Amino acid sequence: TGFLFTSAANSQVHVLNVTFSAAFDSAPIEDFTLNIILPEGAKNAKIVAPFALDSESTTTRHTYLDTEGRPVLVAKKANLVAEHNQYFQVVYEISATTIYHEPMLLIGTFFLFFVVCMINVRFELSISKTDNADSTA
């Protein structure tokens, strides 16, 4: 993709480069809120904008298979006009091994499920005793 870059100095630092705009270039917007959902495990996220933002905050969004949630950067700007349609950067750090977190979680869960099934099949859970003499005759 042409919007996501990795730092040459540190492979854990990623830079997202997108425009701060709405769908309509000519219409002014009174209150604009931009939510940027980062991958799970992203740390030290910050917004670098060429103009001042009214407020910046960070929340967490939980989706399926998330254990700690995905960080969400919330940027708000009042009176957004066409001159604000400029590129800004979101800089964050993420380890290269975090992409294996969810697949390993699924593999471990399925493995545990099948081990429990194998153990369950091997146990005799009936209350009455079976007579082996009757079955061999």
Side-chain angles (χ1 to χ4, degrees):
T1 64
F3 299 107
L4 184 62
F5 303 99
T6 304
S7 172
N10 186 355
S11 64
Q12 293 184 352
V13 176
H14 296 279
V15 178
L16 177 67
N17 190 32
V18 291
T19 57
F20 195 89
S21 67
F24 306 105
D25 289 335
S26 60
I29 300 172
E30 289 183 16
D31 294 315
F32 184 73
T33 302
L34 179 66
N35 294 328
I36 304 160
I37 302 172
L38 298 175
E40 185 179 23
K43 306 273 187 239
N44 301 326
K46 63 180 179 178
I47 297 174
V48 180
F51 49 85
L53 298 172
D54 294 338
S55 69
E56 294 180 45
S57 61
T58 304
T59 61
T60 304
R61 178 178 183 196
H62 294 278
T63 59
Y64 61 95
L65 294 179
D66 283 346
T67 53
E68 59 188 47
R70 299 170 185 258
V72 179
L73 298 177
V74 180
K76 293 185 179 185
K77 178 72 176 159
N79 301 324
L80 190 70
V81 292
E83 286 78 22
H84 291 114
N85 191 8
Q86 301 177 24
Y87 281 95
F88 73 99
Q89 290 77 34
V90 177
V91 181
Y92 63 95
E93 296 177 12
I94 189 167
S95 174
T97 59
T98 57
I99 63 170
Y100 301 114
H101 177 74
E102 289 177 5
M104 293 308 286
L105 183 67
L106 285 174
I107 290 169
T109 302
F110 279 115
F111 179 76
L112 183 64
F113 173 74
F114 287 120
V115 166
V116 168
C117 287
M118 288 188 304
I119 292 171
N120 188 25
V121 167
R122 297 201 179 260
F123 279 126
E124 179 65 39
L125 299 176
S126 64
I127 296 176
S128 64
K129 290 184 177 182
T130 58
D131 191 10
N132 288 340
D134 292 337
S135 63
T136 59

